Amino acid sequence: MGQATLLNLVLRNYLAYNLYEQALKFVQKTTFPESRPNSQYARYLFYIGQIKAVQLEYSDSHSKLMQAIRKAPQSNAGLGFKLSAYKLAIIVELLTGGVPDRTTFMQQELRVQLRPYYAITQAVRSGDLTAFGGVIKKHEVLFKKDKTLTLINRLRYNVIKTGLRSINLSYSRISLKDICAKLGLETEQDAAGVVAKAIVDGVIDATIDHDNQCVKSQQKHNIYSSCEPQKAFHKRIAFCLQMHNDTVKAMAYPDEDKKDEEDAEKKREREKDMLASIDDDDDDDMML
């Protein structure tokens, strides 16, 4: 308990001063104790997820954050911790290209506090750069307080990618000027640069006609002939295996408090059985 608490306090101090490199080195050179309370381990996983998110390792970060949420106390005592973990997990999942489940925002005890993050999610899904900037401007103080503003600013390119995908599906040919108007970009040069990066990254299948200042979309290929279904299937399998491993560990290493309670209950049951057997013997002696 002392080792686990001390490790979390050191990590918390590093992250409070934005010393992510030092925090990462500290994690690499230390080992979290096996016999630890779930509450301390949940906090440790949350700090690891925070470090991974800043280091651009979004998949690992999201995995650690979801583990932290599952291991956090389910009572009202852990509500603040779950709220912080959910806020960070939502942004990290958006950075991975996914969309958080709607039920995450509909939880009774967290619904009001997660409204700004729901607005961010809606802006990213719609690919509306103007709406995205409006949400950031409106809730900038809250995002700074939650220390998620830096990660949210990284979502700008994700918003642009989503908008470009919808444009690519809707138009076989569109001018750079119209792309500027739809995405809220300033100049046609900015639009050309964004489209070129999206083409290189494989976000859209198109070509840029610089002479006519337009973008021509290629014919859409069948997604099932690509590796995308296999990648999605692999991601789900990895999630299920991780959940299975966490369940096995939870069964193999129960909390010490629960173990003490079970031992006390077993002791009381044995005492009752002994008293019952003594009473039965006395009754037999009296009959004799």
Side-chain angles (χ1 to χ4, degrees), residues 155-203:
L155 285 170
R156 186 176 184 273
Y157 182 59
N158 292 57
V159 178
I160 294 174
K161 287 196 299 184
T162 305
L164 285 176
R165 284 196 193 100
S166 61
I167 291 173
N168 186 51
L169 291 173
S170 303
Y171 299 91
S172 59
R173 180 188 177 98
I174 185 171
S175 65
L176 294 174
K177 184 177 180 180
D178 291 337
I179 291 177
C180 288
K182 289 182 177 295
L183 297 182
L185 300 175
E186 296 180 357
T187 63
E188 296 181 9
Q189 287 76 14
D190 292 340
V194 168
V195 172
K197 184 173 179 10
I199 293 172
V200 172
D201 293 343
V203 176

Side-chain angles (χ1 to χ4, degrees), residues 19-234:
L19 302 175
Y20 292 98
E21 289 291 338
Q22 289 88 332
L24 182 61
K25 292 178 181 178
F26 179 75
V27 170
Q28 292 172 349
K29 294 181 180 294
T30 55
T31 304
F32 202 76
E34 288 289 338
S35 56
R36 75 283 174 177
N38 274 342
S39 58
Q40 291 296 329
Y41 189 51
R43 187 175 293 277
Y44 180 75
L45 290 171
F46 173 73
Y47 292 146
I48 297 296
Q50 197 172 349
I51 294 170
K52 295 284 187 181
V54 174
Q55 298 290 332
L56 305 178
E57 300 178 19
Y58 300 129
S59 298
D60 290 343
S61 173
H62 186 259
S63 176
K64 297 296 184 185
L65 291 170
M66 296 310 296
Q67 289 182 58
I69 291 171
R70 289 196 297 270
K71 290 183 177 295
Q74 301 303 314
S75 60
N76 291 332
L79 192 60
F81 174 80
K82 288 178 65 177
L83 178 62
S84 299
Y86 268 119
K87 287 179 178 180
L88 187 57
I90 289 168
I91 301 302
V92 171
E93 187 170 358
L94 289 172
L95 285 168
T96 62
V99 177
D101 193 69
R102 189 179 180 86
T103 55
T104 302
F105 304 99
M106 301 306 293
Q107 300 179 65
Q108 186 66 31
E109 64 274 11
L110 303 176
R111 181 164 47 186
V112 176
Q113 292 87 344
L114 290 179
R115 281 178 182 171
Y117 291 85
Y118 181 69
I120 285 287
T121 304
Q122 291 293 92
V124 174
R125 284 189 62 187
S126 62
D128 190 344
L129 201 59
T130 304
F132 178 74
V135 173
I136 292 179
K137 186 176 181 180
K138 182 179 179 181
H139 302 287
E140 185 176 2
V141 177
L142 175 65
F143 295 149
K144 284 183 178 179
K145 182 181 178 181
D146 295 338
K147 292 188 175 182
T148 55
L149 183 61
T150 302
L151 295 175
I152 290 174
N153 286 330
R154 295 181 188 177
L155 285 170
R156 186 176 184 273
Y157 182 59
N158 292 57
V159 178
I160 294 174
K161 287 196 299 184
T162 305
L164 285 176
R165 284 196 193 100
S166 61
I167 291 173
N168 186 51
L169 291 173
S170 303
Y171 299 91
S172 59
R173 180 188 177 98
I174 185 171
S175 65
L176 294 174
K177 184 177 180 180
D178 291 337
I179 291 177
C180 288
K182 289 182 177 295
L183 297 182
L185 300 175
E186 296 180 357
T187 63
E188 296 181 9
Q189 287 76 14
D190 292 340
V194 168
V195 172
K197 184 173 179 10
I199 293 172
V200 172
D201 293 343
V203 176
I204 59 175
D205 189 5
T207 56
I208 302 176
D209 187 352
H210 293 282
D211 295 333
N212 297 319
Q213 291 292 296
C214 65
V215 177
K216 297 179 181 178
S217 301
Q218 303 293 337
Q219 186 177 0
K220 187 67 178 176
H221 297 290
N222 184 12
I223 193 172
Y224 291 100
S225 63
S226 64
C227 296
E228 291 301 322
Q230 184 179 358
K231 291 179 181 178
F233 191 53
H234 173 73

